Amino acid sequence: LGCGDGAFLLAMAARFPDRNFLGTERLLGRVEKVCRAIARNHLGNARILRLESHYAMQWLLPAACADIVHIGFPDPWPKRHHHPRRLFQDDFMVSLRQVLAPGGEVRIKTDDKPYFLWIEKVVGRAAGFARLEWPEEEGYPMTDFEQHFVEQGLPIYRARLRAT
């Protein structure tokens, strides 16, 4: 969700050609860039949808359609009066649970500790999720944001959940 420049989406689609990948992104320039990269790399298993992620999950995606949902570096909206704009809200968790297949996973990454603490509170209130350990995975692609933050030596906060 929120695929940014598409680096993660493209890497995953190339790594797992037998799986389908859908990226959501609301910014037109990013969508056009990712579309060109999908075509240039002949990735028939990758698509991108220009739409707000929560809206797509709530109104367009069928129930139980996703085995894994990756949410990398969502906008933290750090100002208090912008907190209602944050992706992680109680109603978002309901929509997220709805699109996950039984036993499906959510993988969340952010560099913003205050937002991560917010995410943990929202996740803690949500029904239908269990927290899982997330050991390092060899070859797991990084988003463009993650690469930038890792190069700066910043910590990355991660959560992995399973639909129960």
Side-chain angles (χ1 to χ4, degrees):
L1 300 177
C3 66
D5 77 346
F8 180 83
L9 175 70
L10 297 168
M12 290 296 280
R15 184 175 177 189
F16 299 103
D18 58 325
R19 298 181 191 171
N20 292 317
F21 293 88
L22 174 66
T24 60
E25 179 58 57
R26 63 181 186 80
L27 299 176
L28 179 59
R30 289 180 179 176
V31 170
E32 290 172 338
K33 179 182 177 183
V34 175
C35 284
R36 287 190 302 270
I38 288 170
R40 185 174 49 253
N41 291 292
H42 308 288
L43 296 171
N45 62 332
R47 300 284 187 274
I48 186 163
L49 180 62
R50 183 180 177 220
L51 202 57
E52 195 274 331
S53 296
H54 184 197
Y55 184 91
M57 287 195 322
Q58 187 175 17
W59 299 107
L60 296 179
L61 298 179
C65 69
D67 292 323
I68 301 177
V69 174
H70 302 272
I71 306 170
F73 303 87
D75 192 332
W77 293 101
K79 294 179 182 175
R80 187 174 204 77
H81 66 281
H82 288 157
H83 286 186
R85 296 181 184 179
R86 287 177 165 177
L87 180 63
F88 280 89
Q89 307 286 347
D90 294 331
D91 59 337
F92 170 75
M93 295 304 295
V94 172
S95 298
L96 183 57
R97 179 61 191 90
Q98 178 182 312
V99 301
L100 282 172
E105 289 188 15
V106 181
R107 296 179 180 198
I108 306 159
K109 288 186 178 183
T110 183
D111 67 305
D112 191 282
K113 188 171 185 176
Y115 190 29
F116 187 71
L117 296 173
W118 168 286
I119 290 169
E120 286 189 316
K121 287 179 185 176
V122 173
V123 166
R125 292 191 301 263
F129 293 95
R131 189 82 181 253
L132 299 172
E133 291 296 318
W134 191 355
E136 289 293 327
E137 296 177 54
E138 183 88 20
Y140 191 82
M142 289 188 191
T143 70
D144 54 330
F145 289 110
E146 184 174 10
Q147 184 68 43
H148 176 72
F149 298 133
V150 167
E151 287 170 0
Q152 292 182 28
L154 297 172
I156 304 299
Y157 304 96
R158 308 177 328 160
R160 182 177 169 213
L161 312 172
R162 173 167 285 140
T164 57

